[in-house]
Amino acid sequence: MNVLLDNWRPLVDGLLTTLWITLVGGVGAIVVGVLVTAARVSPVKVLSGLAFCYVQFFMNVPLLALLVLFVFALPEVGLIMPLLTTAIVVIILYEAAYVAEAVRSGINTVSLGQAEAARAIGLTFLQSLRLVVLPQALRSVVQPVGNVMIALAMNTSLAAAVGVVELTAAAQKVNLVSAQPIQVFVGAGIGYMALALAIGLSTGVVERKVAIVR
Amino acid sequence: MNRTPPIPDTAGPSPAMVDVRGINKYFGENHVLRDVNLTVAPSEVVVVLGPSGSGKSTLCRCINRLETIQSGEIYIDGQPLPTEGRALARLRSDVGMVFQSFNLFAHRSVIDNVRMGPIKVRKMAKTEATELAESLLDKVGIADKGNQFPGELSGGQQQRAAIARALAMQPKVLLFDEPTSALDPEMVSEVLDVMNSLVADGMTMVVVTHEMGFARHAADSVAFMDEGQIVEMAPPGEFFDSARSDRARAFLSKVLSH
Ligand SMILES: Nc1ncnc2c1ncn2[C@@H]1O[C@H](COP(=O)(O)OP(=O)(O)OP(=O)(O)O)[C@@H](O)[C@H]1O
Ligand SMILES: [Mg+2]
């Protein structure tokens, strides 16, 4: 265990970066994902078409390819962001597609009558989505969205490939110096497992908290 | 300059609260409403009867445009029903609807259900909307249920809450689509009592129902539908005792023999 203790500083920094990407990426992916879903179910054909293409695009391109593309191509067209920011933006855009699919399946569980009752009291389309349909849809997809969040947390390690020093990259650096791969990577692995467990447990808590009385 | 004289507005305001003029509705190939005309005067109660599949629900749903129509015109209090957008939402807020399956917002408390429309559509202050909602829950006899969730109420209580929600918009007309059909028999009368009190208040109502007692005693007129047409329209006494059409007589002999 010595190697972990001796190098706690870069490892903890890496872990904090991983947590930061997960947190900002997760919140961002949920916000963007819900917006994409709203567009997807809107009666405006252009919007729903764009949302469909969005989801299809990001579900069919590997995250690593997107990271590489954004990190190396954006500066070419004059858009220069800090590396970490670029990685977070890519992760948000990518995972939002999965959030959007989960939320859309939730919308399908809300009975048509709910939306009809909302329209019947004079709510506009956006109001009925915001006040009636989405709140119920989101309650029913806490579990699947939680799973997307766990996948997101694991996917943050891909940022290492474009030079972000998160937990995996930090472990790799420590290993290069110490040559103790088993201890270093098991240590990092335990970090990821703890993160996944924490997300999974909070998912359960949230799901129970927001459950609808039937 | 040459000015054309103003053209007299032939489709101008009519005294009717609901004016359905020659509407046609198709579901794909299925011609569900065929040149349907229906006028409902202020404070009039029209009960729509007819066999299953005759288009009663569809007619009801066309009146607040939950269904689109392919031809014809619908006026609410003299205003043509807009086709979409904010104008439609505004007009819909004047047309209350009570569904067979209640459709209370499952994630909101009963009082939230009732005051949501006034707050979000009418932009009423929350305290005022709450007072209104409380008085309406009291009117429908569930004043003590405001803080419960729809899932915690019996069917009859849910339907009464749904009526309160519709009333909160102070609608010009209320549409009912088989409001008691999903209820256990012992809960039917509590909902009918509320509906009767609305009739007494002078509410304009279009009611699709199989409750022949309500039709006979509360309706000003009965519209009998069959195969997408209003076949016969008459005061209830006349309709039940001496229906003119064969189809209405056949329908009545079926439902009244039960
Ligand atoms: N959403 C829909 N899509 C396709 N067809 C429909 C739809 N809703 C109704 N129909 C058809 O329209 C016709 C009229 O249906 P409607 O529900 O208005 O009848 P109804 O008189 O209300 O019958 P019931 O007494 O069974 O409620 C039926 O032939 C029905 O199959
Ligand atoms: Mg029906």
Side-chain angles (χ1 to χ4, degrees):
Chain A
M1 280 321 249
N2 261 349
V3 62
L4 295 182
L5 292 178
D6 293 346
N7 296 285
W8 69 271
R9 181 132 230 158
L11 290 174
V12 167
D13 279 351
L15 179 64
L16 288 177
T17 304
T18 292
L19 291 178
W20 179 246
I21 303 175
T22 305
L23 186 73
V24 179
V27 171
I30 289 173
V31 171
V32 175
V34 168
L35 291 176
V36 170
T37 313
R40 185 81 195 271
V41 300
S42 93
V44 184
K45 287 261 162 25
V46 181
L47 274 183
S48 61
L50 283 175
F52 174 78
C53 294
Y54 178 97
V55 171
Q56 288 307 313
F57 175 77
F58 283 101
M59 283 192 138
N60 289 300
V61 178
L63 177 55
L64 185 54
L66 290 170
L67 282 166
V68 171
L69 180 73
F70 273 66
V71 167
F72 297 109
L74 284 189
E76 288 282 300
V77 296
L79 199 67
I80 297 168
M81 287 188 285
L83 193 55
L84 182 61
T85 311
T86 309
I88 291 178
V89 167
V90 174
I91 287 177
I92 288 176
L93 294 177
Y94 177 81
E95 300 290 350
Y98 291 85
V99 171
E101 277 304 273
V103 175
R104 195 167 68 92
S105 73
I107 284 186
N108 292 336
T109 69
V110 181
S111 75
L112 202 58
Q114 294 283 313
E116 287 186 344
R119 280 149 71 204
I121 58 170
L123 297 177
T124 61
F125 173 78
L126 274 181
Q127 282 179 318
S128 33
L129 201 58
R130 188 164 57 80
L131 298 168
V132 177
V133 178
L134 273 178
Q136 295 186 53
L138 289 174
R139 280 168 164 83
S140 72
V141 296
V142 174
Q143 201 66 55
V145 169
N147 291 340
V148 175
M149 292 301 111
I150 291 176
L152 183 152
M154 303 301 110
N155 283 341
T156 57
S157 63
L158 288 174
V162 291
V164 176
V165 188
E166 41 62 76
L167 184 54
T168 300
Q172 208 160 355
K173 282 189 177 171
V174 170
N175 179 47
L176 281 180
V177 180
S178 67
Q180 300 257 30
I182 297 184
Q183 286 188 30
V184 171
F185 287 111
V186 166
I190 289 172
Y192 283 109
M193 279 169 65
L195 181 52
L197 196 66
I199 297 174
L201 288 177
S202 23
T203 303
V205 172
V206 172
E207 187 166 49
R208 254 169 284 131
K209 259 231 164 81
V210 302
I212 294 172
V213 192
R214 302 259 179 215
Chain B
M1 231 169 79
N2 219 345
R3 280 177 155 234
T4 42
I7 300 161
D9 190 359
T10 46
S14 71
M17 195 56 97
V18 178
D19 193 353
V20 172
R21 297 187 191 171
I23 63 169
N24 282 281
K25 166 75 187 171
Y26 294 81
F27 283 114
E29 297 280 281
N30 194 358
H31 196 172
V32 176
L33 295 178
R34 300 161 184 258
D35 290 319
V36 171
N37 292 289
L38 176 71
T39 45
V40 186
S43 294
E44 194 183 4
V45 176
V46 174
V47 166
V48 182
L49 300 178
S52 181
S54 54
K56 308 180 296 293
S57 297
T58 306
L59 172 60
C60 224
R61 293 163 55 82
C62 285
I63 294 175
N64 68 353
R65 214 172 184 288
L66 285 178
E67 301 289 354
T68 56
I69 51 176
Q70 275 70 51
S71 68
E73 288 157 358
I74 298 174
Y75 297 85
I76 304 294
D77 197 15
Q79 300 284 332
L81 202 57
T83 45
E84 55 195 59
R86 275 178 191 283
L88 176 60
R90 185 159 323 123
L91 209 94
R92 266 196 192 127
S93 68
D94 288 336
V95 182
M97 177 129 188
V98 176
F99 301 85
Q100 178 172 349
S101 48
F102 329 134
N103 294 343
L104 289 170
F105 307 134
H107 63 306
R108 288 296 194 90
S109 66
V110 168
I111 190 135
D112 274 350
N113 265 273
V114 179
R115 67 188 166 189
M116 184 188 286
I119 293 173
K120 298 295 177 182
V121 178
R122 299 268 190 253
K123 310 295 177 201
M124 193 183 274
K126 190 169 178 187
T127 45
E128 201 185 334
T130 304
E131 272 173 40
L132 172 66
E134 280 167 350
S135 72
L136 288 170
L137 289 178
D138 189 45
K139 179 181 171 66
V140 300
I142 49 170
D144 54 331
K145 302 291 182 199
N147 291 319
Q148 288 186 263
F149 283 83
E152 299 173 311
L153 269 55
S154 73
Q157 290 167 338
Q158 287 190 52
Q159 193 59 298
R160 287 185 281 154
I163 294 174
R165 175 176 67 181
L167 289 174
M169 300 308 293
Q170 289 152 339
K172 292 175 174 170
V173 52
L174 263 185
L175 311 172
F176 292 81
D177 189 5
E178 301 200 27
T180 58
S181 295
L183 297 177
D184 292 335
E186 72 271 19
M187 291 170 186
V188 169
S189 66
E190 65 191 47
V191 171
L192 290 179
D193 286 347
V194 170
M195 291 170 62
N196 277 312
S197 79
L198 297 179
V199 175
D201 293 346
M203 174 63 75
T204 311
M205 293 161 57
V206 175
V207 184
V208 177
T209 185
H210 295 299
E211 292 296 328
M212 295 302 148
F214 180 84
R216 197 183 267 276
H217 297 115
D220 296 303
S221 47
V222 169
F224 173 73
M225 285 190 80
D226 194 22
E227 293 178 354
Q229 289 176 311
I230 295 185
V231 177
E232 195 165 336
M233 183 123 183
E238 193 179 315
F239 178 77
F240 283 105
D241 299 335
S242 52
R244 271 167 283 135
S245 63
D246 291 340
R247 285 191 276 182
R249 279 197 297 272
F251 171 78
L252 283 173
S253 72
K254 240 182 249 164
V255 294
L256 295 180
S257 65
H258 281 295

